[in-house]
Amino acid sequence: MNTSDPLSNWAMQLTLQSLDLPPGQEYPVFVLGTLTYMTILLCNTLVFTTIVFTKSLHKPMFLLLLNLPIMDMIGATAFLPQLVTSILTKNRSISYPGCFFQAFLLHFYGTGNFLFLTAMAYDRYIAICLPLRYNSIMNPKTIMRLIIAIWFADILFFIVLFSLVARFRICRTNIVDIFCNNPAMNKLLCDDTTVNNYFGLIFIGVIQGIPLVIVTYTYIMILLTCMMTKQADARGKALQTCGTHLVVFLFFEFNAAITLISYRFESVSPYLRRALGVSITIFPPVLNPLIYGLKTKELQRSMIKMFKKLRKPHRDPCGQQQQTTWSKTLTGRLG
């Protein structure tokens, strides 16, 4: 197969796997998908804006948490709009650039979640096991460096990963999944993809393995510290906060691992692969803001305060109160 003209890929149309919806179920699924997407955007935007506009939440844990709703909205936007549109139009075709971009964003979302959940586990480890050193270790400069490093590593990983795919010319047009991803796009290539496969395995080992080791170590140390403390309230609060985080991480870890590995075995049911793939792109973006919003009392109180401020009417209908507040703000900035 000629690999000298991979640019011709960008003009091709691909076909995603059929959804196999029963007759008459297209519109209910379309409505459900649209409502799910709107819920994801609403809940994650609420968490994001609450953290951004509440100064008391500008702490290491919440600054790391701030990145999860961004990742969740990226993942949901990469998958759900294209899905519901194809249901409504009954057209499962997608352009190669669209497929490439969707795959990049979905992998970017998944890896970003892994890395930020791992960073949050490390933050909890320092807070619970080394509380006296917490402010010196998790200072603002360290947090900003950590966040920038995660974003940079996430982008760099997938530039390399998808560059390996883009260098070949494809000779198939049927995607073996209901959305585009790197393993499915590799199956479109007719050339020797040994390098791609090795890099993919190394990538899975690094992205799945290292966070798992870090999280396992941190939570073992947290558990031991909680067992040795004599303060029952502090122990219960720590276990509740960390337990919620651990459930989210383990769901993501094992679901992603099984999904990625399943592409390497032809005997795995495509329906199982499809269900796992959909669950990892829908459930975390829906559940993350609910879990952290309901379980994190400080974030929950800040959300309530923000709603109360939005609902509080202005006493002066002529706008004099607003003008006075604006004048004070301007005077303070100039002074």
Side-chain angles (χ1 to χ4, degrees):
M1 185 73 184
N2 179 24
T3 62
S4 62
D5 189 25
L7 292 177
S8 61
N9 295 344
W10 299 92
M12 298 185 68
Q13 285 291 120
L14 308 177
T15 303
L16 293 165
Q17 187 75 29
S18 173
L19 296 173
D20 295 329
L21 294 175
Q25 296 299 312
E26 293 88 354
Y27 291 107
V29 174
F30 168 78
V31 172
L32 179 62
T34 303
L35 291 176
T36 301
Y37 181 57
M38 293 174 64
T39 301
I40 290 171
L41 292 183
L42 176 64
C43 293
N44 282 283
T45 300
L46 177 60
V47 172
F48 179 83
T49 53
T50 301
I51 296 174
V52 169
F53 293 109
T54 306
K55 290 185 178 180
S56 62
L57 296 180
H58 294 177
K59 303 173 183 178
M61 182 183 74
F62 292 106
L63 291 177
L64 292 171
L65 176 60
L66 180 66
N67 294 271
L68 285 187
I70 299 175
M71 291 295 174
D72 288 341
M73 287 189 285
I74 288 174
T77 301
F79 173 59
L80 284 171
Q82 189 278 328
L83 177 70
V84 297
T85 301
S86 70
I87 292 173
L88 189 64
T89 61
K90 299 180 181 180
N91 182 7
R92 295 294 292 158
S93 64
I94 184 172
S95 67
Y96 182 84
C99 185
F100 196 91
F101 191 54
Q102 183 185 57
F104 182 90
L105 290 180
L106 287 174
H107 284 281
F108 181 81
Y109 144 75
T111 302
N113 262 286
F114 273 124
L115 297 178
F116 279 112
L117 288 171
T118 304
M120 290 169 65
Y122 177 73
D123 172 78
R124 292 300 84 202
Y125 161 72
I126 300 296
I128 295 172
C129 300
L130 303 170
L132 299 179
R133 298 178 57 192
Y134 181 78
N135 290 331
S136 62
I137 296 175
M138 303 301 288
N139 57 68
K141 186 179 292 186
T142 300
I143 292 298
M144 289 308 299
R145 287 175 178 173
L146 182 59
I147 292 172
I148 292 172
I150 289 175
W151 278 87
F152 178 77
D154 200 5
I155 294 172
L156 182 61
F157 268 133
F158 290 107
I159 287 177
V160 175
L161 186 65
F162 284 95
S163 294
L164 294 175
V165 176
R167 66 197 178 106
F168 291 117
R169 191 176 189 278
I170 64 175
C171 63
R172 301 182 184 90
T173 59
N174 290 324
I175 299 289
V176 294
D177 210 332
I178 62 172
F179 56 87
C180 296
N181 51 63
N182 183 66
M185 293 188 72
N186 267 299
K187 290 182 179 293
L188 301 178
L189 309 177
C190 296
D191 299 276
D192 184 9
T193 58
T194 303
V195 174
N196 297 36
N197 292 332
Y198 282 139
F199 185 86
L201 288 172
I202 294 171
F203 178 80
I204 293 173
V206 171
I207 297 301
Q208 304 277 146
I210 293 178
L212 182 60
V213 171
I214 294 173
V215 171
T216 301
Y217 172 77
T218 56
Y219 277 99
I220 288 174
M221 298 305 296
I222 289 171
L223 182 60
L224 292 175
T225 302
C226 290
M227 290 175 63
M228 290 187 291
T229 186
K230 296 180 180 180
Q231 298 178 354
D233 293 340
R235 181 171 62 245
K237 183 178 179 180
L239 290 175
Q240 181 183 15
T241 303
C242 296
T244 301
H245 177 271
L246 186 60
V247 169
V248 173
F249 177 83
L250 290 178
F251 172 83
F252 217 97
E253 171 76 23
F254 290 107
N255 200 333
I258 294 172
T259 302
L260 291 173
I261 293 173
S262 68
Y263 282 97
R264 302 184 179 276
F265 298 95
E266 297 295 336
S267 59
V268 176
S269 169
Y271 295 101
L272 174 62
R273 187 188 302 128
R274 185 185 305 177
L276 291 171
V278 170
S279 67
I280 204 171
T281 54
I282 291 181
F283 289 140
V286 171
L287 296 178
N288 279 345
L290 298 178
I291 289 174
Y292 289 108
L294 295 176
K295 290 294 184 179
T296 309
K297 296 297 182 182
E298 194 172 356
L299 181 58
Q300 186 180 2
R301 287 194 296 267
S302 297
M303 286 181 182
I304 294 172
K305 287 181 181 179
M306 190 171 69
F307 275 121
K308 287 182 178 179
K309 287 181 180 179
L310 293 174
R311 293 180 61 184
K312 188 177 180 180
H314 295 290
R315 294 181 180 179
D316 189 348
C318 297
Q320 294 178 356
Q321 185 177 357
Q322 294 177 340
Q323 186 175 1
T324 303
T325 303
W326 179 83
S327 300
K328 289 181 179 179
T329 304
L330 181 61
T331 304
R333 289 179 179 177
L334 295 175

